[in-house]
Amino acid sequence: MSLWTSLEPASSTVDPGGSTKARLRLRNTGDVVDEYRFEPVGDVAPWTTVEPQTLRLYPGTTGTVELTFAPPRSPDATAGPNPYAVRITPTEQPEARTVPEGNLIITPFTEVRAELVPPTVKGRFRGRPKLAVDNLGNTKLTASISGSDNGDHLSYDIHPSNIQIEPGRAVFVKATLKPRQIIWFGSKEQRPYALAIQRSGTGPQPVEGTYVQRGFLPRWLATFLGVFMALAITFVMLWIAYQPQVRSAASEKLQEAGISTLEPSPSASVQPVVPPPPSTSAASPTPTQAGGGGGGGGGGDAAKTKEPTKAPEETAATAVEQLAAKDPGRHICYRAYVTGKGWTDPVCDGAMAGTVGQNRPIRKLNIAVSDTKGTAASAFVHDPKSSNGQGHYNAPWSGVVDGIDNYIGSTKRDAPNMLGFVINVGDGAVCQTAHVHNEGWHGLGCDEPGGDNWIFGGTLSNPLWLEAVRFTV
């Protein structure tokens, strides 16, 4: 060994989003001039810089390089001790390389993002929103979920009511809202409510939404029934009030003459005159017969010009169908809509969709699966109105069965760039890795088996964007 090394300090502490430094001292104990190259290794290597990267030392002399650690404020910066190392390779004697090791302690932080999907639900007897809870910190999140509203108009059935989320993962909480009183007639009413996330030692974090309660019967039907009942009552009253007046002609004559009788003679009684039936002298006009036999039709059918048949678009569904026909079983195929290039060709089972190093954001994804009991996904996109520098979910979740195209994002001209996505499958698990602008490929992440678990891929930061993806099932 022709090299002596020393790390000062051997253990350092740093906050995510901040930085700290350490010094690496080394001495050339050999008898020749040598140049040394420095390379960080280990899990914290992406956040470690070495200055200078090479150092030339004469025999018996000592040099110093500075190590800078800058872990990001993201779930990737795992809280707790993280060992690191620096590989030192002599140019003259490469076989004499050495790897001094140290320890970087990353402090924990907690950050929770929650959003109702959809933020507004409608119904007569119940509403079923979902609460998406993302753990953006670097420690496990444990919390309880509860619901409330002003006036106590709603009851809440929340499942699960207690959650535990690993760093960088997301969980969907299902909620059923039931109005305590049913609106039988009348217009709809808005019921603002909130689902609160309660963590130990902190105040509740409410997420506000709106439940639109509809009437059991629409207003027009209530109006129709009211008018119908009024007409029916009027008809009955007129029927009861109608009394035909039957009087004799003799009685009328006596009254005109001012003569009254106690017992009128039977011969003087006359039956009332029955009105005559309507005159039938005017006969109804005879309907005019339609002209028989139409004229000539213009010499037969005109020749139709055949338009050229356009080849069907090859989507993720067509790709997964062809792959499943050759190799039955679990598969996932996908393609990306890339800015400035349009749709890429469909790829399957871990191949890359998108671009790398071309600064072309993804705006929409097309995904299809086989033998997984379907898939569901939602896009996380750039938010120009953001107050915290992060994007947002732009649409309700889209779910499809096996063999059907699922689309998230948008291809409109002014559509926002995709920052990330959330995805799951009905049976088994789905794994993903995403390439983010200026950050490169993120680590592989998989959801837990089962339809209620989800995995997030990409970034939450508005200044960045999604460039490429890989999926496996």
Side-chain angles (χ1 to χ4, degrees), residues 129-196:
K130 291 183 179 180
L131 180 66
V133 184
D134 295 315
N135 183 3
L136 308 181
N138 62 353
T139 59
K140 180 185 289 187
L141 170 67
T142 301
S144 60
I145 310 297
S146 61
S148 63
D149 62 278
N150 292 330
D152 196 25
H153 297 295
L154 305 173
S155 64
Y156 303 86
D157 182 13
I158 299 175
H159 179 77
S161 58
N162 295 288
I163 56 175
Q164 286 189 342
I165 312 175
E166 296 293 335
R169 302 295 295 274
V171 167
F172 269 74
V173 178
K174 298 179 180 179
T176 301
L177 315 178
K178 295 181 180 179
R180 299 188 185 277
Q181 293 183 350
I182 298 175
I183 302 176
W184 295 103
F185 296 97
S187 60
K188 58 189 178 183
E189 295 186 11
Q190 294 189 355
R191 310 287 192 195
Y193 71 96
L195 297 182

Side-chain angles (χ1 to χ4, degrees), residues 448-473:
E448 299 293 336
D452 291 334
N453 297 307
W454 306 83
I455 184 68
F456 178 86
T459 179
L460 301 172
S461 179
N462 255 336
L464 304 180
W465 57 74
L466 190 65
E467 291 185 333
V469 293
R470 291 191 178 102
F471 295 105
T472 56
V473 292

Side-chain angles (χ1 to χ4, degrees), residues 115-131 154-156 173-179 188-195 208-214 396-397:
E115 185 173 1
L116 279 168
V117 183
T120 300
V121 291
K122 302 177 181 180
R124 294 180 174 86
F125 304 109
R126 63 182 55 85
R128 293 190 175 92
K130 291 183 179 180
L131 180 66
L154 305 173
S155 64
Y156 303 86
V173 178
K174 298 179 180 179
T176 301
L177 315 178
K178 295 181 180 179
K188 58 189 178 183
E189 295 186 11
Q190 294 189 355
R191 310 287 192 195
Y193 71 96
L195 297 182
E208 297 180 350
T210 302
Y211 171 61
V212 179
Q213 184 180 357
R214 296 170 173 169
W397 284 69

Side-chain angles (χ1 to χ4, degrees), residues 430-450:
V430 60
C431 297
Q432 60 76 33
T433 179
H435 190 280
V436 176
H437 176 67
N438 285 343
E439 291 187 354
W441 285 103
H442 285 194
L444 180 68
C446 304
D447 70 338
E448 299 293 336

